[in-house]
Structures are given as structure tokens and as C-alpha cells.
Amino acid sequence: YFCLICYPANSWRLIALPFIIIHFLSNQHLLSDDLRSVLFSLFSLILVMVCAYSSQRLLQNKETFSLAFIHTIIGVGVLLSVVYQFGYIALYLEGLDFNELVNQWSLFFMGQMVGYGICFSLLMMMLMLRNQHIYSMQPLTGESYLSLGLMTVLTGVTLVFGGDLFHYLSIYLVIPTVWFCYRYRWWGMTSLTLLISIFAIVFVIANGRLFNLTIDFTNQELIWFLIALNIFSLYLNAMVFELDEINRVNQKNQIVMKGRNKELVEANVQIQELNRHLLSAQERQRQKLSRQLERLMSKNISALQQSITLLDLEASCSKNENNLFTNIKKFSNII
């Protein structure tokens, strides 16, 4: 299912035949009827392909690693597991009473959801590695690897020697999980969840085969713990990723705004410089017009005064006391 989501273009035919073969062989010990086993394998393949196609349709225009992406994958995964378990019960668990059937179904379903959560974390890691250049997520450092190893060892010690402490581990593990998410962001929390899940499963499988340790918890308690841990990790990672993306977009916008503000300042300086040039040009133009007006007026008034003087001389020769040209000459002098 996850392979078809990651590589839908070239994986359908490559995955179909190996899936049927592996699924058929893994169910041979449960039922001797080869035909029913083949039919159930075909049913499982069709179910996976339908769920993968539906997921692709639902994930269109959704940001990878976002809450909407997580909702879709988990929702389709639960539906996939439920339908698969109903088909499994119908074929392989005939003759069981209702209570035993419910117990078997719940155990299978929870175990499958644990595997689903672990595979989902691996899928997210593969997608992040493929899109690392887009999101610029900081990789893990030597300090983070040391912290991850120490935290995994402490969890393992708690599983082996913790006694009743394991029943409270799912609560107290929130503190280091949140710290890893805060300190190392997406990679830290995903790696921590994956390491603890794999370590716990390997520990349970190895106990009784390689060594015999008395543990104070059942497989169902461990399964519930791993389901809660993986779901909490997936949703917290999605929320942190969205917050980081918002901060990254805000930082880009701030850089863009700073660049635009700088451009505006430079434009204002240029406008002020242009205004100074414009005012200087207007002042020069006014001075030029003033000089031209002064020369023109002086020339015309001088000619007027000369003409009036001549007329005044002619009028004075006639000895006229009320000589209007004398007043006109006085006014022209005032002008």
C-alpha cells in the first residue's frame, strides 16, 4: 500500500505478483486449501490497490507531512485493516465462538495497526529524504544520534526491569518525545518513535527464543503502547511540521518585505533627487523668464519714455499749461 502511494507510476505491475506469492506462502500454514488461499491473496491485492488509488485521489492538492495528509493515510489505513481482517476471519477463523472471534479480531487489528504505524514512519522518512531540498529540514547530528541511542536503551531497560513502571511508560514517554521533537524537530521524533517500536517488537519476539525474562506486561499492553506512541508521534510531527512551514514562509516573506522596503527607500531617494532637479530647473526657468521680462519691459518702457519726451517737447513749445503728456511721462517714470 505504501509502495503504491510513493511510486504509483511504475510499481503496480512490479508489486502485484510478488505480493500474491508472499501473501500466499505466508498463509499456507493456516489453511491447506490452495484455492482459497489464492483467492484471499487476490482479494488482498485488489483491496490494497483500491485503497492506494483512493488515497491518491484524496491526497491531491494536499501538502505532504501536513495534518490533512496524516488524516487521510491513517483513515484509509484503518479502513484497509478492518476490511482485510473481516476477509481473514471469514476464511481462516471458522468454528470459533463469538467471544474468541472478537478477541482474535482485536488482536490481529491492533497488531496490524502497529505495523501500519511503523511503516508509515518509514514512508514519511523516505518522502522527507526525497523532498529534503524542498523543505530544508535539518538532519540529525552526532549529539542527536547519541541521545536517540540513550533513550532507546533506557526504554529497553524499562521494558525488562521496570516492572509495573511499564504501565505508566506511555504517559511519561510523552516528555522525552516532546523534547526530541523540540530539540531535533521532525527527524528526532520520527527516529525515536521508530527505534522504540522496532526495539520493543524485537525484544518481545526474542524473549523466549534467545533468553527467558519475566516481564510484567502482556502483548496487548505493548501493542496499545506502540499504537499510542506511533499515532502521537505522527500527529505531533505533522503539527510541528506545519508550524515550521509557517515560520519558514514568514521568514521568506520578511526577507521579501525587507528587499521591497529597500527598493522603496531607494525609489524615495531617487524621487527626492528628481524633485530637487525639478525645483532647480523650475527656479532656473523662472530666473530666465524674469531676466527676459525685465529686458523686454525696460526696452519697451524706454521707447515709450522717449516718445513721450518728444511729444512733451512739442507740447511745451505750444506753451499749453494743461499738458497731459507731462502727467503721462510722470506715470511712465513711476512704472
Side-chain angles (χ1 to χ4, degrees):
Y1 169 70
F2 285 125
C3 289
L4 295 179
I5 292 178
C6 287
Y7 306 99
N10 53 4
S11 297
W12 296 86
R13 288 174 294 179
L14 295 177
I15 292 176
L17 182 60
F19 175 86
I20 292 178
I21 295 174
I22 294 173
H23 193 277
F24 174 79
L25 295 177
S26 64
N27 287 280
Q28 277 298 98
H29 66 285
L30 297 174
L31 190 65
S32 58
D33 191 345
D34 293 341
L35 179 60
R36 296 178 67 184
S37 183
V38 169
L39 291 177
F40 185 54
S41 299
L42 290 173
F43 164 77
S44 303
L45 176 63
I46 294 173
L47 176 64
V48 169
M49 294 175 66
V50 170
C51 290
Y53 178 76
S54 301
S55 299
Q56 293 172 21
R57 300 284 295 181
L58 293 173
L59 291 175
Q60 288 180 352
N61 302 322
K62 286 185 173 61
E63 180 69 25
T64 310
F65 313 108
S66 63
L67 284 173
F69 182 86
I70 301 295
H71 288 322
T72 302
I73 298 296
I74 290 181
V76 176
V78 171
L79 178 64
L80 170 63
S81 182
V82 168
V83 176
Y84 178 84
Q85 294 303 331
F86 278 129
Y88 184 81
I89 291 172
L91 286 176
Y92 295 141
L93 299 181
E94 296 178 352
L96 297 178
D97 59 16
F98 179 76
N99 292 329
E100 187 177 358
L101 191 64
V102 172
N103 292 331
Q104 291 286 350
W105 182 83
S106 60
L107 181 62
F108 291 154
F109 177 76
M110 290 189 300
Q112 199 166 56
M113 291 311 299
V114 171
Y116 190 82
I118 294 174
C119 291
F120 197 0
S121 298
L122 289 172
L123 168 70
M124 300 287 278
M125 284 187 167
M126 289 188 294
L127 291 177
M128 181 57 74
L129 286 173
R130 195 169 65 180
N131 300 289
Q132 183 73 26
H133 62 286
I134 299 176
Y135 299 106
S136 301
M137 195 71 66
Q138 293 296 329
L140 294 178
T141 60
E143 176 191 359
S144 59
Y145 285 119
L146 181 62
S147 301
L148 286 171
L150 180 62
M151 189 62 206
T152 305
V153 171
L154 291 176
T155 305
V157 171
T158 305
L159 287 174
V160 179
F161 305 105
D164 291 336
L165 181 61
F166 174 79
H167 300 284
Y168 308 100
L169 182 61
S170 59
I171 300 175
Y172 292 109
L173 197 63
V174 172
I175 298 174
T177 302
V178 173
W179 181 82
F180 266 89
C181 186
Y182 169 76
R183 183 69 178 83
Y184 304 114
R185 312 310 289 173
W186 192 90
W187 281 112
M189 187 171 183
T190 303
S191 302
L192 175 65
T193 304
L194 191 62
L195 284 175
I196 291 177
S197 300
I198 293 176
F199 179 86
I201 292 174
V202 172
F203 169 76
V204 171
I205 293 175
N207 189 28
R209 296 183 181 181
L210 301 179
F211 44 83
N212 292 312
L213 296 174
T214 301
I215 55 178
D216 296 328
F217 58 87
T218 64
N219 290 341
Q220 287 187 347
E221 290 175 331
L222 180 64
I223 288 173
W224 277 116
F225 162 69
L226 293 178
I227 289 176
L229 176 64
N230 281 275
I231 292 178
F232 175 76
S233 173
L234 288 170
Y235 275 96
L236 187 58
N237 270 332
M239 289 185 285
V240 170
F241 174 80
E242 288 190 353
L243 290 176
D244 288 342
E245 280 297 293
I246 291 173
N247 292 332
R248 189 168 66 90
V249 172
N250 288 336
Q251 290 177 357
K252 283 187 175 181
N253 291 336
Q254 289 177 359
I255 294 174
V256 172
M257 291 301 297
K258 287 181 180 179
R260 291 181 178 177
N261 289 336
K262 184 178 179 181
E263 292 176 357
L264 289 176
V265 171
E266 294 177 353
N268 287 332
V269 171
Q270 293 177 356
I271 290 172
Q272 292 176 359
E273 188 68 22
L274 290 174
N275 286 334
R276 285 196 294 269
H277 287 299
L278 181 60
L279 292 174
S280 178
Q282 290 176 346
E283 184 63 26
R284 288 195 299 269
Q285 185 67 18
R286 284 196 295 266
Q287 292 175 357
K288 180 180 178 181
L289 290 174
S290 178
R291 288 192 296 269
Q292 291 177 352
L293 183 60
E294 182 181 1
R295 288 196 300 268
L296 182 61
M297 292 296 291
S298 298
K299 178 180 177 181
N300 292 329
I301 290 175
S302 298
L304 178 61
Q305 287 177 338
Q306 290 176 3
S307 299
I308 293 172
T309 300
L310 292 176
L311 292 174
D312 188 26
L313 290 175
E314 292 180 359
S316 61
C317 292
S318 63
K319 297 180 180 181
N320 186 1
E321 294 179 357
N322 296 323
N323 188 0
L324 295 176
F325 294 106
T326 302
N327 295 329
I328 293 175
K329 182 179 181 181
K330 181 177 68 174
F331 294 148
S332 66
N333 289 330
I334 293 173
I335 293 174

